[in-house]
Amino acid sequence: MKNVRSPWWIVVGSVLGLVVGNGPVMQFSFGVFVMPVSQALHAERGTLSAALMVGLLMTGVATPLAGRLVDRFGIRAVALPAITLFALAMAGIGLFADATWAFVALYGLAGIVAAGQTPLTYCKAVSSAFDARRGLALGISIAGVGLGTALVPLFAQRVLAEFGWRAAYVGLGALTLVIALPAMAFLVARRDATAGTARANAAASLPGLTAAQAVRSQAFWKLALSFFLVALAASGTIAHIVPMMVDRGMEARSATAALSAAGIALIGGRLLAGYLLDRVFAPFIAVVFFALPLVGIGMLLGSSATALTVPAAVLVGLGLGAEVDLIAFLQSRYLGLRAFGEIYGYLFAVFMLGSAMGPFLMGMSYQHLHDYAPAMWLLMAGLLVAIFLMFRLGSYLFGAAPRARGQVTSPDARAAH
């Protein structure tokens, strides 16, 4: 029977899958667990932050391999086992983390299998199905991360309050399995049944650089460093915003609400960014969404007033996730689609490195200096560098920029860039 489904069903499935993606489940819910787990395991916040750092680093290491496997064998063959293993690993943290070392090791294991439940698989599916409206489709898809950031920490906080932190981790695993597995199987990757050889031949015919060519280009490294610095700032701030607010006198539930506000802001930010990416030169959009968390962190530094917490979280949230849809869109315009999975894997690995180091940097700043401010100043400086690099990207290399429709860039010009 011929499949005539609209490609927008892939977007619907991506939204659902990313609600329980590695970000909301493993990363952005982490702040909810910091205080109860530190008390239960008698560990410092900085030491516990090492668990998230290890988990995200492992995701970064594993994602390029996942991207290569997706390019060769398809989304379905990689994502379905990975989602199942990621769900089991998250539940395993609650079941088996009886000491700090075990907590860190289990986060590392979860990070490895999380590579198949990152935005990689969803962005590849969406980018392959859309061209003219690619920005909007990616923006809507990544809004799922915002929904997850708003809802998953609240879910974890509710289960934790009723049944304890161990049950909350088991609940996160179950939630991932129930939502992501059917979304991937029946919506995102339902049509992903092409034979491996045919898929490889089709990929080779797409415009773009090979992975080897990409990592030798200036554009790749400008993108990589920019997204590393933005991930460092946004993830570092969000991972510690709950304990930061509790230290300032807020109740844990109210502080978690600030985190949810960041997630809701992410939804609006991703939809707006997706709409604009198809109409405005993408590096300009990136500059705006990199500047918003800069302002938010500055507000947190400039005042300890709890009334500023939610507005600051919203501004950080507007930049949060921009790295993901912007990585996919900018990669497609500057590096092409030929080796999308592998190149995205490399860029996402760098992004995950920033996501891992940000919370750890904040945790160590608090542990050794009893203050988050020194780390936050460094995060703001990094955002300024990221903004500068966006201005240095130049014109699109694959697909005409909105300001120069019909422009064709020669292979020699691409290599020089």
Side-chain angles (χ1 to χ4, degrees), residues 119-154:
L120 162 66
T121 52
Y122 302 100
C123 286
K124 179 174 174 64
V126 171
S127 295
S128 298
F130 292 86
D131 184 22
R133 291 181 288 180
R134 184 180 295 159
L136 179 60
L138 284 168
I140 294 173
S141 299
I142 302 304
V145 179
L147 281 171
T149 304
L151 299 176
V152 171
L154 289 176

Side-chain angles (χ1 to χ4, degrees), residues 18-34 51-53 55-56 59 86 90 107 114 117-119 142-157 160 169 172 227 230-243 252 255-267 270 293 313 316-324 348 351-352 354-356 358-359:
L18 288 171
V19 166
V20 287
N22 75 305
V25 171
M26 188 173 75
Q27 183 178 356
F28 301 128
S29 66
F30 185 78
V32 173
F33 293 96
V34 168
L52 181 58
M53 182 185 72
L56 296 180
T59 302
F86 177 59
M90 290 305 300
Y107 256 90
Q117 180 54 357
T118 66
I142 302 304
V145 179
L147 281 171
T149 304
L151 299 176
V152 171
L154 289 176
F155 170 82
Q157 179 69 47
L160 188 153
Y169 274 114
L172 288 177
F227 292 122
V230 174
L232 190 79
S235 299
T237 304
I238 289 299
H240 285 270
I241 200 165
V242 171
T256 305
L259 183 61
S260 296
I264 294 170
L266 191 156
I267 299 170
R270 300 290 42 81
V316 176
L318 284 169
L320 199 65
E323 315 84 35
V324 182
F348 196 76
F351 164 64
M352 294 306 293
S355 297

Side-chain angles (χ1 to χ4, degrees), residues 32-400:
V32 173
F33 293 96
V34 168
M35 298 185 78
V37 175
S38 66
Q39 292 170 4
L41 301 182
H42 307 289
E44 294 284 347
R45 293 183 193 179
T47 305
L48 282 185
S49 295
L52 181 58
M53 182 185 72
V54 169
L56 296 180
L57 284 174
M58 289 299 99
T59 302
V61 169
T63 301
L65 175 60
R68 185 177 299 180
L69 292 174
V70 165
D71 283 340
R72 182 172 181 180
F73 299 108
I75 296 168
R76 187 183 186 91
V78 176
L80 293 181
I83 290 169
T84 303
L85 292 173
F86 177 59
L88 293 174
M90 290 305 300
I93 295 173
L95 294 173
F96 304 114
D98 294 324
T100 304
W101 70 266
F103 186 77
V104 174
L106 287 166
Y107 256 90
L109 177 62
I112 293 172
V113 293
Q117 180 54 357
T118 66
L120 162 66
T121 52
Y122 302 100
C123 286
K124 179 174 174 64
V126 171
S127 295
S128 298
F130 292 86
D131 184 22
R133 291 181 288 180
R134 184 180 295 159
L136 179 60
L138 284 168
I140 294 173
S141 299
I142 302 304
V145 179
L147 281 171
T149 304
L151 299 176
V152 171
L154 289 176
F155 170 82
Q157 179 69 47
R158 182 64 181 269
V159 178
L160 188 153
E162 294 291 332
F163 305 104
W165 66 269
R166 293 187 181 277
Y169 274 114
V170 174
L172 288 177
L175 191 69
T176 301
L177 201 62
V178 168
I179 296 177
L181 202 62
M184 177 58 70
F186 301 116
L187 295 175
V188 177
R190 181 179 176 186
R191 298 188 297 181
D192 188 40
T194 310
T197 301
R199 184 183 295 107
N201 292 337
S205 68
L206 292 173
L209 305 179
T210 65
Q213 290 171 332
V215 297
R216 293 195 299 267
S217 69
Q218 292 184 31
F220 175 88
W221 291 106
K222 288 174 184 176
L223 292 173
L225 182 56
S226 296
F227 292 122
F228 168 80
L229 293 170
V230 174
L232 190 79
S235 299
T237 304
I238 289 299
H240 285 270
I241 200 165
V242 171
M244 188 189 307
M245 294 305 102
V246 171
D247 288 341
R248 294 182 178 187
M250 293 184 69
E251 294 182 357
R253 184 170 297 182
S254 299
T256 305
L259 183 61
S260 296
I264 294 170
L266 191 156
I267 299 170
R270 300 290 42 81
L271 294 175
L272 178 61
Y275 175 81
L276 293 175
L277 281 173
D278 294 323
R279 293 163 173 80
V280 182
F281 190 47
F284 293 164
I285 305 303
V287 165
V288 172
F289 281 95
F290 291 179
L292 292 172
L294 179 68
V295 175
I297 295 171
M299 289 172 62
L300 291 172
L301 274 172
S303 174
S304 60
T306 55
L308 292 178
T309 301
V310 172
V314 165
L315 289 173
V316 176
L318 284 169
L320 199 65
E323 315 84 35
V324 182
D325 54 354
L326 282 171
I327 284 177
F329 188 89
L330 289 169
Q331 176 189 332
S332 72
R333 296 309 185 202
Y334 287 98
L335 304 173
L337 295 173
R338 182 177 180 181
F340 184 93
E342 186 173 353
I343 297 171
Y344 186 94
Y346 293 139
L347 289 172
F348 196 76
V350 175
F351 164 64
M352 294 306 293
L353 177 63
S355 297
M357 291 183 63
F360 182 72
L361 179 65
M362 289 282 282
M364 295 306 292
S365 177
Y366 184 88
Q367 180 171 324
H368 292 289
L369 303 173
H370 304 289
D371 193 356
Y372 288 115
M376 293 168 75
W377 281 111
L378 289 175
L379 299 182
M380 292 179 69
L383 286 169
L384 290 173
V385 174
I387 289 170
F388 172 77
L389 290 173
M390 284 295 104
F391 280 121
R392 300 290 298 170
L393 271 175
S395 301
Y396 293 160
L397 304 182
F398 298 94

